[in-house]
């Protein structure tokens, strides 16, 4: 992240910059350090993963448990049943608590 932020600073675009679709996966320490870097560099940001399948654990703000689906081999009923569970999720409290400290409004 530091290398990307240095490149943005060196380019001197003189416009607000935005960093999106990044992730620090299971490391809450990396989340804290990375978001701190972004904020200290005055970069607007959003994380990539709002909601994920729970097998991926700490990289989404919300996790959901849905069965894997194979659209080529599963029956209509299996696909319908599996996909009907999409949307039921539970908060990833540790990641939410880590990320919320880095939200701050930008003043332009």
């Amino acid at each position: 992240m530091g290398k990307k932020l240095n490149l943005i600073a060196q380019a001197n675009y003189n416009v607000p910059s935005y960093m999106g679709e990044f992730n620090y996966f299971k490391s809450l320490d990396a989340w804290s350090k990375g978001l701190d870097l972004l904020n200290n560099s005055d970069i607007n940001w959003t994380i990539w993963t709002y909601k994920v399948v729970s097998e991926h654990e700490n990289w989404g703000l919300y996790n959901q448990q849905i069965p894997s689906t194979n659209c080529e081999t599963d029956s209509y009923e299996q696909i319908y049943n599996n996909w009907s569970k999409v949307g039921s999720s539970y908060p990833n409290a540790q990641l939410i608590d880590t990320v919320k400290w880095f939200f701050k409004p930008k003043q332009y």
Side-chain angles (χ1 to χ4, degrees):
M1 185 63 73
K3 289 180 183 180
K4 290 183 183 290
L5 295 175
N6 286 337
L7 289 172
I8 292 170
Q10 289 171 6
N12 195 22
Y13 294 124
N14 199 27
V15 296
S17 295
Y18 169 79
M19 181 72 68
E21 296 194 19
F22 65 91
N23 198 299
Y24 297 109
F25 298 95
K26 295 181 182 182
S27 175
L28 295 175
D29 187 49
W31 278 100
S32 293
K33 289 177 182 175
L35 295 176
D36 193 47
L37 273 171
L38 288 164
N39 283 353
N40 288 335
S41 298
D42 203 29
I43 302 290
N44 298 286
W45 56 269
T46 186
I47 61 175
W48 178 34
T49 50
Y50 176 74
K51 188 185 294 183
V52 300
V53 186
S54 60
E55 69 189 59
H56 300 296
E57 297 175 17
N58 207 45
W59 66 298
L61 296 177
Y62 290 86
N63 293 324
Q64 55 186 354
Q65 292 179 337
I66 57 172
S68 295
T69 302
N70 185 327
C71 293
E72 292 181 4
T73 59
D74 289 349
S75 69
Y76 169 83
E77 290 78 18
Q78 286 174 301
I79 295 170
Y80 182 84
N81 185 45
N82 292 351
W83 287 1
S84 67
K85 293 174 177 65
V86 171
S88 58
S89 60
Y90 56 93
N92 184 347
Q94 286 184 312
L95 183 58
I96 291 170
D97 286 345
T98 300
V99 170
K100 74 179 179 183
W101 291 105
F102 296 94
F103 291 132
K104 66 178 187 178
K106 297 287 183 182
Q107 302 295 320
Y108 294 104

